[in-house]
Structure formats: C-alpha cells, structure tokens
Amino acid sequence: MILLVMVLTAAPTAACGTEPEATARPLAAAGSSAAPTHSAAEERAAREAALAAYSGYLAASQAASRRSDPRHPELVRFLADPLLTRVRLVIRDAKEHGAVRTGTFVSDPTVTSVNLNSVPATVDIQDCLDTTGYRLVYAKTKRVVPGSGGSRHLATATATRYPDGRWLISYGAGHEDQPC
C-alpha cells in the first residue's frame, strides 16, 4: 500500500499492491500475569493517541511518497520498526524506478482493540482505505505505472506505546483481497 503507505504509503503502495506490511509485532514481555484495570479515561486517551499516530503515519507516508523520500523526517515521528523499515523500502524502490505518488486517498479508521495490560501497550486499528485516487506515476512523464491502480480495501495497523510515552505505528498491512 503504499498501504496503506502505505496506506498509504502504506496506502499509497497498497494501491500498488506493494504496500509495506510488517510480519512481526512487538514482543510482549514474558511473565505478564494479572492485568491491572484501566479507567475509561485511560482507554479513551490511548484510542485518541493511537488514532492520532495513525493519521500522522498516513500523512507522513503520503508526503514522503510524493517526494520519493524514504528519509522524510516525519516518518520517524509516527512509525516504528518493523513498519518504518518496510515503508522506507517501498518508497526507495519507487524512487529507484523513477516513480512518485500523486493524488489522494480516503481513510476511515476505527479502533478494534485496546490492550493497556500488554507490555508494550497496544491499540489495533482497522481502516477502509480508498486508494482509487492515489496513483504511482513516473516522475518525468507523469504516466501511471502499469499495475498500480488503487482500490477500496481493508487495512489494519497496530499502534504501540513506547517507553517515552509516544504512540507509534509499528505494524501495518493492506488487505487488498478484502474490499470494504
């Protein structure tokens, strides 16, 4: 995508069918037993922070893809590995082939789960991405790269709370075989 970059670029790549997709999630600490309870306010704050990180991820990925800049500084503000590396690789690959992303995509994310008891804490997000207006084009000619058409499809992501308190998107996948 760019999935999503993916979604975008995740999405963006997703439109390409080469969205970044992490295959591993952060490991939970071993031995986490009885879970403390969290207030509704803590869960609400986690949801809001995760959705803000997701929105930032989409915007940063889109900006980086428009410039074919895998080192775009906004990427590290919203993404963490392994997704950060995947997004950068997709953008670098497009750049090496003389391509950039143009247009826009539409996102409609919802939180599907909040786990403040895991270490690290996580929030799972599901999105219906519409990347039909988001194209991969050759930078010099502005011609659409063959096979890079967009679609409306399911995308999933995981936001992880890091020790410094930041919520970053560490996992993302576009499910182009699942229309929404």
Side-chain angles (χ1 to χ4, degrees):
M1 203 174 131
I2 295 205
L3 151 74
L4 299 166
V5 223
M6 318 194 150
V7 200
L8 308 252
T9 317
T13 296
C16 242
T18 59
E19 67 189 270
E21 175 179 319
T23 57
R25 294 183 182 206
L27 299 176
S32 52
S33 42
T37 41
H38 297 281
S39 71
E42 289 172 309
E43 284 203 18
R44 185 173 45 259
R47 287 173 182 272
E48 291 171 4
L51 287 172
Y54 183 75
S55 177
Y57 151 58
L58 297 181
S61 297
Q62 190 171 31
S65 294
R66 282 199 169 118
R67 296 177 184 88
S68 284
D69 180 5
R71 292 287 177 193
H72 193 285
E74 291 295 299
L75 292 173
V76 296
R77 286 189 59 208
F78 301 102
L79 290 117
D81 280 324
L83 184 58
L84 175 61
T85 296
R86 301 260 318 165
V87 168
R88 285 179 164 168
L89 288 173
V90 169
I91 295 170
R92 186 181 75 197
D93 185 54
K95 180 179 185 174
E96 288 175 356
H97 289 92
V100 297
R101 290 277 173 188
T102 63
T104 60
F105 55 84
V106 177
S107 170
D108 185 23
T110 59
V111 169
T112 57
S113 72
V114 176
N115 188 346
L116 298 178
N117 297 324
S118 66
V119 178
T122 60
V123 173
D124 290 323
I125 298 168
Q126 182 172 301
D127 196 356
C128 179
L129 287 174
D130 182 350
T131 61
T132 56
Y134 196 56
R135 297 282 185 245
L136 185 64
V137 300
Y138 292 109
K140 289 183 180 179
T141 65
K142 302 300 182 219
R143 294 184 63 193
V144 174
V145 173
S148 66
S151 65
R152 285 181 45 89
H153 60 274
L154 175 69
T156 55
T158 298
T160 302
R161 184 173 56 203
Y162 284 79
D164 62 2
R166 293 181 305 150
W167 285 89
L168 301 173
I169 305 302
S170 57
Y171 171 84
H175 308 280
E176 294 181 33
D177 61 330
Q178 296 180 34
C180 53

